Amino acid sequence: MTEFLKMHGLGNDFIIFDWRRGGVETVSEAAARALADRRRGIGCDQILVIRPSDKADIRMDILNHDGSPSGACGNGTRCVADLVMADDATTALSIETDGAMLRAWRAGDGDIAVDMGPVSTGWADVPLAHEADTLAVPLGIDGLDPAICHSLGNPHAVVFVEDAEAVDLAAIGPMVETSPLFPQRVNFSVVSPLADGGFRMRVWERGVGITMACGSGACAVGVAVARSGRGAASNRIVMDGGAVRIDWDEASRHVVMTGPVAHVARGVLSEAMTALLEGRDDTA
């Protein structure tokens, strides 16, 4: 019997396995894709696995919808932090990921904050295929301004536009994600200013597609706003699923995201899905 949880942060949804006391050693790409399938599986943007850590309170592994690994997932981090802090009756947590060591805490009014660590702004850190000014990276797509690029443990490209709603993200997103410019592919966001001083963001996630929200993407947008001089170091970022606050400390290069999370369900996988997850061939 394999238990799972379903949570979301502003519609960015996750299957979570809490394997702090033991579980499957490796989730295969095939199992991840089957679980993430919204018709034949549970359905999610990412799969998150909580494991023990000798460096932090917990370790979190991240798999995208297509089964590929990810080094960062801001909304997922906030969901996992809320879950573990409730279980352990704590208000703060350290989290080991492939991308960075993270800190999360309860920020009041039900919100969870996470320090996503230092943002890397060098072209080789993103990484890009060749040297470029990361404040103005030409994407080679007609009608699209140069991108602001940086890494939060995963690569991001942010383009400011007049109206984010008017961009054909379904067409442009895959072109940017798989461009030879980005050897590890890239998360792509389009952003436009709002009358209230906030910023409207739409996102194409690497290995996922269009999502209602992207935590690391929102962080990338907040940093891009500040780096380009379009706003202050603290900004409200509005996505399809709702808004978060992004605070960037230029001196330390750390970026903090604050926003809500939601619990959806707790369940048990079928025997067939468990067999796939565990790499068993029950048809033999």
Side-chain angles (χ1 to χ4, degrees):
M1 182 175 74
T2 302
E3 295 185 346
F4 71 91
L5 296 99
K6 182 77 183 285
M7 296 183 69
H8 75 84
L10 302 174
N12 188 193
D13 61 336
F14 313 100
I15 297 169
I16 301 173
F17 294 108
D18 187 352
W19 288 341
R20 284 176 284 175
R21 295 169 183 84
V24 175
E25 184 174 344
T26 302
V27 178
S28 69
E29 286 193 12
R33 288 194 299 268
L35 288 163
D37 190 296
R38 296 191 180 278
R39 294 186 181 275
R40 294 181 170 88
I42 299 165
C44 67
D45 291 327
Q46 279 96 11
I47 295 169
L48 310 175
V49 180
I50 308 171
R51 300 189 189 274
S53 171
D54 57 6
K55 299 177 181 179
D57 293 319
I58 60 168
R59 175 178 171 81
M60 182 177 71
D61 294 332
I62 308 162
L63 292 171
N64 290 319
H65 182 88
D66 67 355
S68 62
S70 177
C73 179
N75 286 321
T77 302
R78 294 191 300 103
C79 287
V80 164
D82 181 69
L83 172 67
V84 174
M85 288 190 294
D87 284 350
D88 295 348
T90 59
T91 58
L93 189 71
S94 58
I95 304 169
E96 176 191 359
T97 70
D98 283 341
M101 296 290 291
L102 310 179
R103 293 186 306 110
W105 61 93
R106 296 200 179 279
D109 297 325
D111 284 352
I112 305 296
V114 58
D115 181 340
M116 294 292 288
V119 178
S120 300
T121 58
W123 71 270
D125 299 318
V126 175
L128 301 178
H130 55 75
E131 185 173 358
D133 177 1
T134 58
L135 280 171
V137 179
L139 296 178
I141 298 175
D142 289 344
L144 207 59
D145 285 348
I148 298 173
C149 297
H150 31 249
S151 172
L152 285 94
N154 56 0
H156 287 268
V158 177
V159 173
F160 288 90
V161 297
E162 184 175 343
D163 182 5
E165 305 288 352
V167 175
D168 188 354
L169 192 58
I172 296 175
M175 296 169 58
V176 178
E177 178 192 356
T178 60
S179 166
L181 179 62
F182 303 105
Q184 296 180 10
R185 297 184 294 166
V186 75
N187 297 278
F188 173 60
S189 298
V190 291
V191 187
S192 54
L194 296 171
D196 64 3
F199 290 85
R200 176 70 171 104
M201 162 192 168
R202 296 177 62 221
V203 60
W204 176 277
E205 282 201 62
R206 176 184 66 164
V208 182
I210 295 174
T211 56
M212 293 184 69
C214 173
S216 63
C219 291
V221 167
V223 172
V225 167
R227 285 186 69 200
S228 64
R230 288 177 168 86
S234 180
N235 292 284
R236 179 171 172 265
I237 309 298
V238 181
M239 297 168 281
D240 289 351
V244 294
R245 189 180 78 246
I246 303 298
D247 296 284
W248 189 46
D249 181 353
E250 185 175 2
S252 69
R253 295 189 174 274
H254 278 244
V255 60
V256 173
M257 173 178 57
T258 305
V261 302
H263 293 252
V264 177
R266 184 184 295 267
V268 178
L269 296 183
S270 69
E271 180 56 33
M273 193 66 79
T274 297
L276 178 61
L277 183 65
E278 295 178 350
R280 292 187 279 115
D281 184 0
D282 283 5
T283 64

